[in-house]
Amino acid sequence: MHLPNLQKDMMGIKVNKLASVKNQLPFEYYSLPYCRPETIVRSAENLGEVLRGDRIENSLYQVQMRVDEQCKVLCRIPALSSAQNEAFRSKIEDDYRVIMCASMRL
């Protein structure tokens, strides 16, 4: 097992799903218009993740260990349509949360 060390390792952040305590129906992270990589790669690593309905995918987010950084712009998305606004509003009302996980594999 490799743990982040003092050598400023780069750590990728993978996205999983949108989950709610009010609603049992999970949604894929990229079902909402978040910043996304050119190619989305799924990476379920074990049967348990599949059975739980995890949808682990790559993202544009990266963190470098032991490096202080200010906020950065990841991407810019165009103005949201009324349907996209409604999708975000609906997920917020139903208390959906984004599930992410760190990965040493970029």
Side-chain angles (χ1 to χ4, degrees):
M1 174 195 239
H2 177 76
L3 297 175
N5 62 32
L6 303 179
Q7 298 173 2
K8 300 181 180 175
D9 283 348
M10 186 65 73
M11 182 177 288
I13 305 296
K14 293 187 177 186
V15 296
N16 187 341
K17 60 187 171 187
L18 303 173
S20 170
V21 294
K22 282 185 171 180
N23 188 336
Q24 296 302 311
L25 180 64
F27 286 91
E28 291 185 15
Y29 176 81
Y30 292 117
S31 66
L32 294 175
Y34 292 116
C35 296
R36 62 181 64 211
E38 286 184 27
T39 303
I40 297 173
V41 179
R42 287 207 168 155
S43 60
E45 297 181 3
N46 61 53
L47 182 59
E49 291 173 355
V50 174
L51 294 175
R52 280 192 310 269
D54 290 347
R55 296 173 176 92
I56 299 172
E57 300 168 323
N58 59 321
S59 76
L60 296 174
Y61 301 101
Q62 292 185 353
V63 176
Q64 192 166 6
M65 301 304 296
R66 301 192 53 85
V67 173
D68 291 331
E69 286 191 275
Q70 298 297 317
C71 295
K72 291 185 189 179
V73 175
L74 185 62
C75 74
R76 299 201 185 277
I77 57 174
L80 298 177
S81 68
S82 60
Q84 290 171 322
N85 279 328
E86 175 59 25
F88 269 110
R89 186 194 63 71
S90 171
K91 301 299 182 292
I92 292 167
E93 284 182 357
D94 286 337
D95 287 335
Y96 274 90
R97 303 289 186 254
V98 173
I99 310 297
M100 295 180 165
C101 54
S103 173
M104 291 305 295
R105 291 183 241 158
L106 297 177

